[in-house]
Amino acid sequence: MNELPQLNRAALWRAGLRRSRLAVERTAPPPLEGALTRMVGLTLEAAGCQAAVGDYCDVLTGDGARIESEVVGFSGDRLYLMPAGDAHGLGPNARVIPRPRAGTVHVGPELLGRIVDGSGQPLDGLGPIACAETVRLAGRPINPLSRQPISEPLDVGIRAINAVLTIGRGQRVGLFAGSGVGKSVLLGMMARFTSAQVIVVGLIGERGREVKEFVERILGPEDRTRAVVVAAPADAPPLMRLRGAWLATAIAEYFRDRGASVLLLMDSLTRFAQAQREIALAIGEAPATKGYPPSVFARLPQLVERAGNGAEGAGSITAFYTVLAEGDDQNDPIADAARAILDGHIVLSRRIAESGHYPAIDIEASVSRAMNEIVLPGHFAAARQFRQILSTYQQHRDLVAIGAYQRGSDPRVDQAIRLWPGVQQFLQQDMRERVDLVSSLAALDGLLAEGNP
């Protein structure tokens, strides 16, 4: 009679377990602080503290300043940290303090019109940014079956792209070129001319002077009110450059999830990969392909796949990433990997740029993988005919130049020669001139009509 029913004994056992858990939580010590034991190159080594990969820590210098660092690896009870700022002033046994709620960033409409660094701190001197909401810096993956398809064209204001390489809303496109061929100028034209509710610009690893130039000359006062600029120039530590790309993408995701049409411009994807390479090599990862460790090629799709259309009811992120083809080599490892994970690529040619032709788009080497799904059959046929004319002339240009081609030998070549001046004029555009989608198609139809008397 004194024995408790089985149900009551189980309930009491669960209640006692909850009380014991609460007691443990109340008496649990705060995260263990550690001490800096070694610094080799860009890597800090700490012992005595507990933190997970991706967590942030504050490292205290001798004068009391705090240097934010991120846990990028571990070995046994040792943590490998990468500083996000200047590491001058650090010494042996400096205190390492793990930070709670690491890996989140503050976002909100208050970011519009502002310029921030890779950690979200303002660079424009307009005071602090008071954002109430937070999101994960690494984002949250979207079920690929939940994404809305790319179904409508996006007017980027550039005739050659609108007519022959039509971009869809929610598409992810790469701008491939060597240095000094006009990637940044073309990116700036898209920032001014593309119709989008929000523009997010990530200037990652590029020249510092380009930040002010992009804001004042390219965006201007009108477009700046709907833009957020994240700047992590070339002299920033690799962790800050890496974080700048994640932050720009996280901000774009925030506005997309609230139904906005977002234009994400990142200059450049190559500098993002190089920052990851610096970090990976510093913590001992072995290089694989031309000095790039495997983690670089794992990071690229993690970043790029976050752009695109959202789930039903959400907005879209149309993303343009510049890709630096080192030595104009289109088979550079990063260029090759980016081409495989993007929805299209626009190649800029140094040969075309040196002839004074701008924008220096190589139509034959460029492709928009979503074009046939978003344009009318007549538009697609006209673009294909334009490509054929351009390719025919390029194949016979040497014969034409030396006078070896006899007119009348091939009607297709005759047509290409007759239309070539119009083709060159069609593909060139002043950087301050905007040509909308309708005008681009009308110009294409008019050019082809001249070749079919």
Side-chain angles (χ1 to χ4, degrees):
M1 293 180 60
N2 293 332
E3 290 184 5
L4 291 172
Q6 186 68 24
L7 180 63
N8 290 345
R9 286 175 17 184
L12 288 173
W13 180 83
R14 287 195 297 268
L17 181 61
R18 283 196 296 269
R19 283 196 298 271
S20 64
R21 284 178 178 171
L22 288 173
V24 170
E25 291 177 0
R26 289 169 183 165
T27 59
L32 292 177
E33 297 182 8
L36 201 63
T37 58
R38 191 171 66 162
M39 178 177 181
V40 179
L42 301 173
T43 311
L44 309 178
E45 187 176 302
C49 58
Q50 296 179 354
V53 173
D55 284 352
Y56 298 159
C57 299
D58 286 329
V59 183
L60 274 59
T61 63
D63 56 2
R66 291 174 178 258
I67 298 177
E68 185 181 70
S69 302
E70 182 177 327
V71 180
V72 294
F74 61 87
S75 177
D77 59 349
R78 305 265 175 175
L79 296 181
Y80 297 127
L81 310 175
M82 187 70 63
D86 188 3
H88 285 90
L90 289 179
N93 299 317
R95 290 177 61 195
V96 179
I97 306 173
R99 287 171 48 182
R101 295 181 59 82
T104 61
V105 291
H106 291 276
V107 293
E110 296 82 4
L111 285 168
L112 293 175
R114 302 301 300 269
I115 307 170
V116 298
D117 62 11
S119 60
Q121 298 302 313
L123 295 173
D124 49 16
L126 300 179
I129 305 175
C131 297
E133 300 182 68
T134 59
V135 296
R136 292 180 68 245
L137 189 65
R140 298 187 182 278
I142 300 177
N143 186 331
L145 297 180
S146 301
R147 284 185 183 267
Q148 302 177 67
I150 300 173
S151 58
E152 58 178 306
L154 179 71
D155 185 358
V156 299
I158 300 170
R159 183 168 47 240
I161 298 177
N162 279 341
V164 189
L165 301 167
T166 311
I167 304 301
R169 190 176 299 277
Q171 193 171 344
R172 299 160 301 189
V173 184
L175 302 180
F176 291 73
S179 57
V181 183
K183 299 186 304 298
S184 299
V185 174
L186 188 60
L187 209 66
M189 293 174 68
M190 293 178 180
R192 290 195 307 272
F193 301 152
T194 303
S195 55
Q197 294 171 303
V198 177
I199 302 172
V200 181
V201 182
L203 301 177
I204 311 300
E206 295 300 314
R207 295 179 292 273
R209 71 167 181 82
E210 290 185 346
V211 177
K212 188 173 183 178
E213 180 179 319
F214 195 96
V215 172
E216 294 183 355
R217 296 185 183 179
I218 296 179
L219 281 180
E222 292 185 9
D223 290 326
R224 183 176 174 180
T225 59
R226 61 184 177 119
V228 184
V229 179
V230 180
D235 61 342
L239 181 64
M240 188 63 73
R241 283 177 266 144
L242 205 67
R243 195 183 297 178
W246 295 121
L247 177 60
T249 307
I251 294 171
E253 286 177 321
Y254 167 79
F255 287 106
R256 177 193 62 189
D257 293 343
R258 278 144 189 82
S261 172
V262 182
L263 177 66
L264 173 62
L265 307 173
M266 189 167 296
D267 188 11
S268 70
L269 193 64
T270 304
R271 304 303 185 196
F272 168 83
Q274 290 174 346
Q276 174 62 28
R277 177 176 64 179
E278 292 179 43
I279 294 174
L281 294 177
I283 62 176
E285 187 177 353
T289 306
K290 291 189 177 181
Y292 286 96
S295 63
V296 173
F297 302 100
R299 289 283 193 180
L300 287 175
Q302 290 175 2
L303 178 72
V304 170
E305 282 295 324
R306 292 170 60 181
N309 287 330
E312 193 67 32
S316 63
I317 300 175
T318 306
F320 290 91
Y321 302 91
T322 65
V323 181
L324 177 63
E326 296 186 3
D328 294 329
D329 180 12
Q330 296 299 325
N331 294 319
D332 173 82
I334 300 303
D336 197 43
R339 217 174 2 250
I341 59 178
L342 292 170
D343 301 324
H345 51 273
I346 299 173
V347 178
L348 304 184
S349 168
R350 187 175 302 276
R351 174 184 57 82
I352 297 176
E354 289 174 347
S355 67
H357 182 126
Y358 292 100
I361 300 175
D362 187 344
I363 297 295
E364 292 181 281
S366 305
V367 66
S368 172
R369 296 179 178 174
M371 181 175 177
N372 60 336
E373 302 291 338
I374 59 176
V375 300
L376 297 175
H379 178 186
F380 189 75
R384 184 172 55 190
Q385 184 181 356
F386 180 89
R387 282 178 172 271
Q388 291 171 347
I389 293 171
L390 180 63
S391 178
T392 299
Y393 184 86
Q394 295 292 0
Q395 291 172 10
H396 296 82
R397 68 180 303 157
D398 292 339
L399 294 176
V400 175
I402 65 176
Y405 175 75
Q406 297 294 325
R407 292 183 181 269
S409 302
D410 189 334
R412 296 178 306 161
V413 180
D414 293 341
Q415 181 192 41
I417 295 173
R418 185 170 61 254
L419 291 180
W420 182 244
V423 169
Q424 286 187 303
Q425 185 177 0
F426 176 85
L427 293 176
Q428 295 186 64
Q429 183 175 332
D430 186 85
M431 63 178 294
R432 291 172 290 275
E433 175 190 6
R434 183 183 189 276
V435 183
D436 60 29
L437 183 60
V438 175
S439 301
S440 301
L441 297 182
L444 177 61
D445 291 338
L447 174 65
L448 297 178
E450 294 178 10
N452 300 303

